């Protein structure tokens, strides 16, 4: 029982508060002519650099942009 409660408590800490948004800061570019972008975006799911990278690459590609780097992620 204690092990289960400890696991649930740890999962709650990792997931963050219910409904908390994960915000990612990123740099992107568009070629020909070169144009650089800095932006922030809300990320669904896990609030990690890897999750942000995966979501942003797809989202930005649909806008004709190439993701250069995910600078940070944070829960709000």
């Amino acid at each position: 029982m204690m092990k289960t409660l400890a696991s649930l408590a740890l999962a709650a800490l990792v997931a963050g508060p219910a409904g908390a948004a994960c915000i990612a800061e990123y740099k992107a570019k568009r070629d020909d002519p070169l144009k650089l972008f800095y932006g922030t975006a809300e990320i669904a799911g896990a609030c990690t650099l890897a999750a942000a990278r995966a979501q942003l690459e797809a989202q930005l590609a649909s806008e004709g942009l190439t993701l250069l780097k995910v600078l940070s992620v944070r829960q709000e």
Side-chain angles (χ1 to χ4, degrees):
M1 178 72 170
M2 285 300 285
K3 190 173 187 177
T4 303
L5 290 176
S7 296
L8 290 173
L10 179 60
L13 287 174
V14 170
C22 178
I23 305 298
E25 288 182 286
Y26 65 89
K27 289 182 183 180
K29 71 173 184 168
R30 178 177 291 139
D31 291 323
D32 201 20
L34 178 64
K35 189 169 183 182
L36 301 175
F37 296 85
Y38 164 85
T40 59
E42 189 169 327
I43 302 301
C47 194
T48 64
L49 289 173
R53 188 176 305 112
Q55 288 184 41
L56 286 170
E57 282 178 343
Q59 179 182 345
L60 293 171
S62 71
E63 299 172 22
L65 298 172
T66 302
L67 178 66
L68 297 173
K69 184 173 186 176
V70 177
L71 302 170
S72 69
V73 292
R74 68 181 182 277
Q75 291 280 166
E76 289 194 345

